[in-house]
Amino acid sequence: MSQPDSEDGEMIRTTFDAVTEDLGDGIVLVRLSGEIDIATTDFASESIRAAIAPPARTVLIDLSAVTFCSSAGLGNLVEARRLAVQHGITLALVGVGRPVDRPLTITGLGREFTIFASVEDARAQGGRQP
C-alpha cells in the first residue's frame, strides 16, 4: 500500500496484509501483519468486518506479525469487539506482541479483550478465557 506524503507529494510505503482462513467448526482466523495505521485502517477494518459475521461462531485475530499499531488500529479492534457482541460471536486476540500490547495496556483496552498466546491455545479453549 502507498499513499502520498502530504508535504512533498512523494509516495510513502506502508506494509500491511490481512489473510482470512476458515479453520472449521465455526472458527475464522484473521491474520494481520505489518503496520496498522491511518493508511491501512480501512483495509484492516474491511478484513475484520468480513470475518465477524455468521456463520462464524468464533473469530480469532492473529496480531503476532503486526509491527506497529496506531490509535486507528486500536479503533479497528474496538470495532471488531462491538461487531462480535452485536452478532453473538466470540472474539479473541492472538499473539499480541509489544507493538499491540503496549497501546492496549496504556489505553486500558487490553482488559476488554480475551487474549491468547497462540492460535493453538485459542482453539483449545474455543476462543474463551479458561
Side-chain angles (χ1 to χ4, degrees):
M1 300 189 106
S2 355
Q3 75 177 38
D5 182 316
S6 60
E7 290 185 28
D8 59 14
E10 287 194 30
M11 299 303 275
I12 54 173
R13 191 126 183 96
T14 302
T15 305
F16 176 79
D17 196 21
V19 177
T20 303
E21 182 180 349
D22 184 344
L23 300 180
D25 298 324
I27 302 172
V28 175
L29 174 65
V30 180
R31 293 183 192 271
L32 303 180
S33 61
E35 301 172 2
I36 307 174
D37 57 20
I38 195 68
T40 61
T41 189
D42 288 343
F43 184 40
S45 180
E46 288 173 24
S47 301
I48 292 168
R49 272 189 268 126
I52 301 177
R57 292 192 318 263
T58 300
V59 173
L60 307 176
I61 301 177
D62 184 347
L63 301 163
S64 60
V66 171
T67 57
F68 176 76
C69 183
S70 73
S71 59
L74 291 180
N76 288 138
L77 298 179
V78 169
E79 177 191 23
R81 186 176 161 275
R82 182 188 60 75
L83 280 173
V85 168
Q86 180 181 336
H87 291 294
I89 294 171
T90 300
L91 175 74
L93 306 181
V94 176
V96 177
R98 182 171 170 79
V100 179
D101 182 55
R102 183 149 170 78
L104 282 175
T105 300
I106 289 170
T107 60
L109 287 172
R111 295 185 298 263
E112 304 295 321
F113 294 93
T114 301
I115 299 174
F116 292 96
S118 69
V119 172
E120 294 75 25
D121 290 347
R123 289 187 77 179
Q125 296 296 325
R128 301 183 195 285
Q129 288 278 335

